[in-house]
Amino acid sequence: FGMNAIVAPLRDPLVREVVAWFAPRAGSVGVDVGCGAGFDLLPLASAVGPHGRVHALDRSPAMLRLAQALTDAERAAAPLSFVTGDAQHLDLDGARVDWVWSHEALGYPAGDLAGALRAIRPQLNPGGRVLLLGWTAQSLLPGWEPLEARLNATRSQPLAWLTHAPVHRHFLRAPEALRAAGFVDVQARTFARTLLGPLAPAERAALLDLFATCWGDPAGAAHDEDGREYARRCDGRSPDCVLDLPGYCGFFTCTAFAATA
């Protein structure tokens, strides 16, 4: 979700809301851990302004090149630097930072979040903060909620990642991991993005891409009754596509956790 340009009409307004809630102060220095193609860098740079700095950190040099191209084209409001690496081996020439931001990277959808946070904590200035953001739920097929529930149970790509992960390592257990790593003042908030028909073309295209991200390509899923109904309701070429309902209403949520070192 965080790396796909097509879903920008869905993602970007929500990310701006989360940045406003986290509120990195003007002039501060932070790191976007697992920045991917860099879609969160612009709102973060806008928040800290020209006297701040945002370090873009990713394991993939290819992703960092995409992030740099995006931010060069959009003229970021704050200085940016691009660093190949990961949060557990963060090397910023000995400098500490004021905040760490992670959108579907650290401990998402599951992982050793407490271990990663223990490695990050010494990199933060006293009173430094961390924010973890991840996709948590959706209701995208109004009128076909039972179908959506079955798709989530049988075809969900995000939920499949959690099948074999210990429950204490799931992303929504992040408050425990934050406290175990020595963070305090743990906060949580869920942000919703609601779509109401008639949809703009960019919103429609974004939701079609989101359907495929959640449940696979509708064109290749019609091998059983649920697959055929999924293709009928979620393939943009179908005359019965749910997105073409004049009263379409759907939503998804992301949950953010913030804490202080």
Side-chain angles (χ1 to χ4, degrees):
F1 183 63
M3 287 194 230
N4 193 333
I6 296 173
V7 299
L10 309 184
R11 176 196 59 235
D12 291 357
L14 184 144
V15 168
R16 287 194 293 270
E17 283 188 54
V18 181
V19 171
W21 178 69
F22 186 48
R25 73 177 188 276
S28 62
V29 178
V31 184
D32 181 357
V33 172
C35 69
F39 297 113
D40 293 2
L41 293 173
L42 294 171
L44 291 168
S46 180
V48 304
H51 300 296
R53 176 173 286 275
V54 179
H55 299 284
L57 179 73
D58 203 277
R59 293 177 177 176
S60 167
M63 280 296 172
L64 288 174
R65 287 193 293 271
L66 290 174
Q68 188 162 11
L70 172 72
T71 52
D72 284 349
E74 297 291 335
R75 297 179 64 87
L80 302 173
S81 62
F82 298 86
V83 183
T84 303
D86 62 62
Q88 298 203 40
H89 303 93
L90 188 58
D91 182 8
L92 300 174
D93 296 325
R96 291 189 176 191
V97 296
D98 301 305
W99 51 267
V100 169
W101 169 281
S102 170
H103 183 177
E104 296 182 359
L106 291 175
Y108 186 88
D112 181 17
L113 183 54
L117 291 167
R118 279 191 289 267
I120 284 173
R121 193 163 173 264
Q123 308 287 341
L124 287 163
N125 286 319
R129 300 170 68 223
V130 62
L131 181 132
L132 311 170
L133 177 64
W135 172 285
T136 42
Q138 79 280 332
S139 181
L140 299 173
L141 304 182
W144 288 274
E145 289 87 355
L147 172 65
E148 184 165 4
R150 292 193 299 273
L151 293 173
N152 285 335
T154 60
R155 287 182 167 83
S156 171
Q157 298 183 54
L159 291 181
W161 298 336
L162 300 177
T163 302
H164 302 294
V167 294
H168 69 277
R169 290 193 169 192
H170 288 203
F171 177 73
L172 283 175
R173 302 287 287 272
E176 298 171 32
L178 286 161
R179 294 185 180 107
F183 286 83
V184 297
D185 189 25
V186 177
Q187 299 174 299
R189 180 171 168 182
T190 297
F191 296 79
R193 179 82 167 92
T194 303
L195 286 303
L196 183 64
L199 299 170
E203 292 175 329
R204 186 179 187 276
L207 281 165
L208 290 173
D209 188 83
L210 192 53
F211 291 161
T213 298
C214 289
W215 304 306
D217 180 8
H223 58 274
D224 57 21
E225 185 175 348
D226 278 349
R228 288 188 290 273
E229 189 67 1
Y230 169 49
R232 180 181 177 189
R233 303 301 174 187
C234 297
D235 190 325
R237 299 164 294 184
S238 168
D240 297 317
C241 180
V242 66
L243 300 180
D244 297 325
L245 293 171
Y248 177 83
C249 181
F251 69 88
F252 64 88
T253 68
C254 291
T255 298
F257 300 99
T260 302

